[in-house]
């Protein structure tokens, strides 16, 4: 890593979202204080409780994912990167965010060239420039590159990569009503015999209602993240990472 400059890997909790809920919380609190001696007090109390709870969960999640709270986001990326069975050749990271996983893949596998793709839409705080900066600072810019692409329709021909990874992205692809379509698209660009590691909310039945279909297309059974990495509160909460599962497999075992 270059001396002085530090990589920037924001957590999965968007600070804009945290600010919105904290603002709503303050408004409800102000309402409670103004109406403290009137029946209107109760009108503000319920929103204060709800927005306060959401703000607390979001803030604690961001803390736990970040370096001061146990660095769970980095540890999850390391788990995905090291779960890939020692590949050389080329790898694709679908939904690479800040480039953290792509960088860790390159660091864990010195013979690997990594491409990270992401849509970098307005509702996220990551960017291609930030990814390139992080790869440069981490000393892997010669083997890691980034492209803006939509995970629902990758521009790469079939069987382009020796390995494909993705972390917490398939459920975010708005273009796919059926979130297994993102998994299929990622597998399309993986060569026969190539390996994949996917981590997503595969255990959430509101996102992936048919576990049988998921297992059939993966050719492998996803494992709960909590089996491999004990998660503290609130990360183990079902609305946070309680439904996160990881799956490793080989193209052709389907
Ligand atoms: C929870 S973040 C995970 C980022 C990264 N994989 C990581 O583990 O840090 C979800 C990512 O999905 C990306 N994303 C959302 N919709 C996408 C799409 N249609 N195509 C590609 N990436 C998308 C977002 O830009 C964001 O970077």
């Amino acid at each position: 890593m270059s001396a002085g400059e530090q990589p920037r890997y924001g957590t999965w909790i968007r600070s804009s979202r945290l600010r919105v809920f904290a603002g709503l919380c303050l408004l409800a609190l102000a309402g409670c204080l103004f109406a403290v001696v009137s029946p209107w007090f109760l009108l503000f109390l319920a929103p204060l409780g709800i927005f306060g709870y959401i703000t607390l969960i979001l803030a604690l999640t961001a803390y736990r994912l970040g370096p001061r709270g146990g660095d769970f986001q980095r540890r999850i990326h390391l788990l995905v990167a090291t779960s890939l069975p020692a590949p050389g050749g080329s790898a694709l990271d679908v939904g690479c965010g800040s480039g953290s996983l792509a960088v860790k893949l390159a660091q864990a596998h010195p013979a690997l060239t990594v491409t990270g793709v992401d849509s970098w839409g307005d509702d996220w705080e990551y960017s291609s420039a930030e990814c390139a900066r992080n790869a440069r600072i981490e000393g892997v810019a010669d083997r890691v590159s980034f492209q803006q692409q939509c995970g629902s329709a990758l521009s790469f021909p079939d069987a382009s990569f020796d390995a494909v990874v993705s972390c917490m992205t398939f459920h975010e692809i708005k273009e796919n009503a059926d979130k297994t379509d993102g998994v299929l698209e990622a597998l399309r660009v993986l060569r026969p015999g190539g390996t994949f590691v996917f981590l997503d909310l595969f255990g959430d039945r509101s996102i992936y209602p048919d576990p049988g279909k998921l297992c059939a297309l993966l050719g492998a059974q996803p494992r709960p993240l909590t089996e491999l990495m004990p998660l503290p509160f609130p990360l183990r909460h079902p609305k946070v990472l309680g439904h996160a599962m990881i799956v490793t497999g080989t193209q052709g075992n389907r």
Side-chain angles (χ1 to χ4, degrees), residues 10 12 73 77 93-98 100-101 117-121 123-124 126 149-152 166-169 171-175:
W12 297 323
Q73 190 163 313
H77 287 156
D93 177 10
V94 180
C96 60
S98 64
S100 166
L101 174 57
V117 296
D118 200 293
S119 56
W120 291 301
D123 49 345
W124 286 91
Y126 305 128
Q149 285 206 30
C150 181
S152 68
S166 185
C167 183
M168 292 295 286
T169 292
H171 72 277
E172 294 285 353
I173 301 180
K174 293 193 182 81
E175 291 79 2

Side-chain angles (χ1 to χ4, degrees), residues 5 15-16 39 44 52 60 67 96-97 105 107 139 144 172 188 191 222 250-251 254:
E5 276 189 298
S15 54
S16 55
F44 292 105
L60 272 177
C96 60
L105 267 180
Q107 289 172 331
V144 183
E172 294 285 353
R188 180 186 67 76
R191 71 162 169 80
T250 304
Q251 179 76 302
R254 300 188 279 143

Side-chain angles (χ1 to χ4, degrees), residues 78-93:
L78 282 174
L79 175 70
V80 173
T82 55
S83 297
L84 201 61
S90 60
L92 175 70
D93 177 10

Side-chain angles (χ1 to χ4, degrees), residues 144-183:
V144 183
S145 61
F146 299 96
Q147 297 179 21
Q148 187 162 32
Q149 285 206 30
C150 181
S152 68
L154 299 167
S155 71
F156 307 109
D158 295 358
S160 297
F161 293 92
D162 300 300
V164 179
V165 301
S166 185
C167 183
M168 292 295 286
T169 292
F170 296 132
H171 72 277
E172 294 285 353
I173 301 180
K174 293 193 182 81
E175 291 79 2
N176 292 336
D178 179 345
K179 301 304 176 191
T180 58
D181 287 348
V183 180

